[in-house]
Protein backbone atom coordinates (compact mmCIF):
# COMPACT_ATOMS: atom_id res chain seq x y z
CA UNK A 1 0.00 0.00 0.00
CA UNK A 2 0.84 3.65 -0.17
CA UNK A 3 1.59 5.99 2.68
CA UNK A 4 -0.76 8.94 3.17
CA UNK A 5 1.79 11.26 1.53
CA UNK A 6 2.20 8.93 -1.46
CA UNK A 7 -1.60 8.65 -1.78
CA UNK A 8 -1.97 12.46 -1.81
CA UNK A 9 0.74 12.76 -4.48
CA UNK A 10 -0.88 10.00 -6.56
CA UNK A 11 -4.31 11.64 -6.29
CA UNK A 12 -2.87 15.04 -7.22
CA UNK A 13 -1.10 13.66 -10.30
CA UNK A 14 -4.02 11.58 -11.54
CA UNK A 15 -6.49 14.48 -11.19
CA UNK A 16 -4.18 17.24 -12.50
CA UNK A 17 -4.86 19.17 -15.69
CA UNK A 18 -1.07 19.52 -16.10
CA UNK A 19 1.78 17.90 -14.16
CA UNK A 20 4.93 20.04 -13.84
CA UNK A 21 8.11 18.15 -13.02
CA UNK A 22 10.28 20.39 -10.89
CA UNK A 23 13.41 21.82 -12.36
CA UNK A 24 16.78 20.67 -11.18
CA UNK A 25 19.34 18.13 -12.17
CA UNK A 26 18.11 14.75 -10.97
CA UNK A 27 17.80 12.93 -14.32
CA UNK A 28 21.26 11.41 -14.61
CA UNK A 29 23.03 8.19 -13.76
CA UNK A 30 26.50 6.87 -13.00
CA UNK A 31 28.28 4.01 -14.74
CA UNK A 32 27.17 0.74 -13.20
CA UNK A 33 28.26 -2.87 -13.50
CA UNK A 34 24.63 -3.82 -12.76
CA UNK A 35 22.54 -1.32 -14.77
CA UNK A 36 19.31 -3.36 -14.63
CA UNK A 37 19.52 -3.63 -10.82
CA UNK A 38 20.17 0.11 -10.65
CA UNK A 39 17.16 0.74 -12.89
CA UNK A 40 14.69 -1.22 -10.76
CA UNK A 41 16.15 -0.17 -7.41
CA UNK A 42 16.72 3.54 -7.95
CA UNK A 43 16.27 4.99 -11.43
CA UNK A 44 12.65 3.87 -11.72
CA UNK A 45 11.87 5.93 -8.62
CA UNK A 46 13.19 9.10 -10.32
CA UNK A 47 10.49 8.78 -12.98
CA UNK A 48 7.66 7.38 -10.85
CA UNK A 49 5.57 10.58 -10.87
CA UNK A 50 5.92 10.99 -14.62
CA UNK A 51 5.12 7.33 -15.28
CA UNK A 52 1.92 7.76 -13.24
CA UNK A 53 1.11 10.83 -15.37
CA UNK A 54 1.70 8.81 -18.57
CA UNK A 55 -0.45 5.87 -17.43
CA UNK A 56 -3.28 8.21 -16.36
CA UNK A 57 -2.90 10.26 -19.57
CA UNK A 58 -2.10 13.49 -17.74
CA UNK A 59 -0.07 15.98 -19.79
CA UNK A 60 3.26 16.83 -18.18
CA UNK A 61 6.05 19.36 -18.59
CA UNK A 62 9.64 19.13 -17.43
CA UNK A 63 10.59 22.53 -16.08
CA UNK A 64 14.15 23.75 -16.82
CA UNK A 65 16.71 21.27 -15.64
CA UNK A 66 19.96 19.58 -16.52
CA UNK A 67 19.64 16.09 -17.97
CA UNK A 68 22.43 13.57 -18.15
CA UNK A 69 24.87 12.08 -18.40
CA UNK A 70 23.07 8.87 -19.26
CA UNK A 71 25.66 6.08 -19.01
CA UNK A 72 23.52 2.96 -18.68
CA UNK A 73 21.43 1.71 -21.59
CA UNK A 74 18.35 0.83 -19.48
CA UNK A 75 18.24 4.32 -17.93
CA UNK A 76 18.87 5.95 -21.31
CA UNK A 77 15.96 3.95 -22.78
CA UNK A 78 13.66 4.85 -19.87
CA UNK A 79 14.63 8.51 -20.20
CA UNK A 80 13.91 8.51 -23.93
CA UNK A 81 10.58 6.71 -23.42
CA UNK A 82 9.40 9.13 -20.69
CA UNK A 83 10.63 12.36 -22.27
CA UNK A 84 9.11 11.56 -25.66
CA UNK A 85 5.74 11.57 -23.92
CA UNK A 86 6.21 14.99 -22.32
CA UNK A 87 4.11 17.91 -23.50
CA UNK A 88 7.20 20.15 -23.23
CA UNK A 89 10.78 19.56 -22.11
CA UNK A 90 12.91 22.50 -21.02
CA UNK A 91 16.64 22.24 -20.37
CA UNK A 92 18.91 24.78 -18.71
CA UNK A 93 22.10 24.47 -20.71
CA UNK A 94 23.63 23.42 -24.02
CA UNK A 95 25.01 20.06 -22.79
CA UNK A 96 21.50 18.84 -21.94
CA UNK A 97 20.15 20.30 -25.20
CA UNK A 98 22.79 18.40 -27.16
CA UNK A 99 22.01 15.15 -25.33
CA UNK A 100 18.28 15.48 -26.04
CA UNK A 101 19.02 16.26 -29.68
CA UNK A 102 20.96 12.97 -29.94
CA UNK A 103 17.96 11.19 -28.37
CA UNK A 104 15.62 12.93 -30.82
CA UNK A 105 13.59 14.50 -28.02
CA UNK A 106 11.95 17.86 -28.80
CA UNK A 107 12.96 20.46 -26.24
CA UNK A 108 13.58 24.13 -25.63
CA UNK A 109 16.41 25.74 -23.73
CA UNK A 110 15.38 28.08 -20.91
CA UNK A 111 17.16 29.47 -17.85
CA UNK A 112 16.74 27.95 -14.43
CA UNK A 113 13.52 29.30 -12.93
CA UNK A 114 15.35 30.74 -9.93
CA UNK A 115 16.65 33.51 -12.22
CA UNK A 116 13.08 34.77 -12.61
CA UNK A 117 12.65 35.40 -8.88
CA UNK A 118 12.56 38.99 -7.75
CA UNK A 119 15.34 39.93 -5.38
CA UNK A 120 14.23 41.47 -2.10
CA UNK A 121 14.94 45.18 -1.76
CA UNK A 122 18.25 45.79 0.01
CA UNK A 123 20.29 48.80 0.86
CA UNK A 124 23.61 47.73 -0.67
CA UNK A 125 25.49 50.90 0.28
CA UNK A 126 27.05 49.21 3.32
CA UNK A 127 26.47 45.54 2.57
CA UNK A 128 29.25 43.00 2.87
CA UNK A 129 29.39 40.82 -0.25
CA UNK A 130 27.90 37.36 0.28
CA UNK A 131 29.06 34.14 -1.32
CA UNK A 132 26.17 31.66 -1.36
CA UNK A 133 27.22 28.02 -1.72
CA UNK A 134 24.75 25.21 -2.27
CA UNK A 135 26.10 21.99 -0.79
CA UNK A 136 25.00 18.42 -1.33
CA UNK A 137 25.72 15.10 0.32
CA UNK A 138 26.99 13.48 -2.87
CA UNK A 139 28.79 10.80 -0.89
CA UNK A 140 25.64 9.28 0.58
CA UNK A 141 23.77 9.57 -2.72
CA UNK A 142 26.49 7.94 -4.81
CA UNK A 143 28.14 5.68 -2.25
CA UNK A 144 31.56 7.23 -2.96
CA UNK A 145 32.40 8.81 0.38
CA UNK A 146 36.00 9.47 -0.71
CA UNK A 147 34.63 11.80 -3.39
CA UNK A 148 32.47 13.57 -0.80
CA UNK A 149 35.59 14.41 1.19
CA UNK A 150 37.24 15.94 -1.92
CA UNK A 151 34.05 17.87 -2.69
CA UNK A 152 33.80 19.28 0.85
CA UNK A 153 37.53 20.14 0.84
CA UNK A 154 37.08 22.10 -2.40
CA UNK A 155 34.12 24.00 -0.94
CA UNK A 156 36.13 24.83 2.19
CA UNK A 157 39.05 26.08 0.07
CA UNK A 158 36.78 28.38 -1.95
CA UNK A 159 34.98 29.62 1.17
CA UNK A 160 38.29 30.40 2.93
CA UNK A 161 39.52 32.34 -0.10
CA UNK A 162 36.45 34.58 -0.18
CA UNK A 163 36.29 34.85 3.63
CA UNK A 164 39.88 36.14 3.64
CA UNK A 165 38.80 38.81 1.11
CA UNK A 166 36.06 40.07 3.44
CA UNK A 167 33.09 38.18 2.04
CA UNK A 168 30.36 36.67 4.20
CA UNK A 169 29.77 32.95 3.51
CA UNK A 170 26.25 31.48 3.41
CA UNK A 171 25.75 27.72 2.99
CA UNK A 172 22.50 26.35 1.58
CA UNK A 173 21.23 22.77 1.59
CA UNK A 174 20.20 21.50 -1.84
CA UNK A 175 17.66 19.06 -0.36
CA UNK A 176 16.16 18.23 3.01
CA UNK A 177 14.44 14.93 3.63
CA UNK A 178 14.12 12.14 6.16
CA UNK A 179 16.20 9.85 3.92
CA UNK A 180 19.90 10.40 4.74
CA UNK A 181 20.91 10.48 1.07
CA UNK A 182 18.60 13.43 0.44
CA UNK A 183 19.22 15.40 3.62
CA UNK A 184 21.98 17.87 2.88
CA UNK A 185 21.44 19.64 6.21
CA UNK A 186 23.80 17.02 7.63
CA UNK A 187 26.75 18.68 5.89
CA UNK A 188 25.62 22.32 6.14
Amino acid sequence: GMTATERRAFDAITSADLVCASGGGYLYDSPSTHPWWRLISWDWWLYADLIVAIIWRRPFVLLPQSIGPLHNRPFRALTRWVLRRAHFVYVRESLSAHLLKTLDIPHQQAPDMVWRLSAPAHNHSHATPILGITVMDWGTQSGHLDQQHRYESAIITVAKHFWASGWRIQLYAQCTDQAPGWDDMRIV
Side-chain angles (χ1 to χ4, degrees), residues 8-22:
R8 284 191 303 274
F10 179 83
D11 291 344
I13 292 168
T14 58
S15 64
D17 293 321
L18 177 68
V19 175
C20 295
S22 63

Side-chain angles (χ1 to χ4, degrees), residues 12-14 16-21 49-50 52-53 58-63:
I13 292 168
T14 58
D17 293 321
L18 177 68
V19 175
C20 295
D49 295 347
L50 300 180
V52 169
R58 303 285 96 195
F60 66 94
V61 172
L62 272 78
L63 299 175

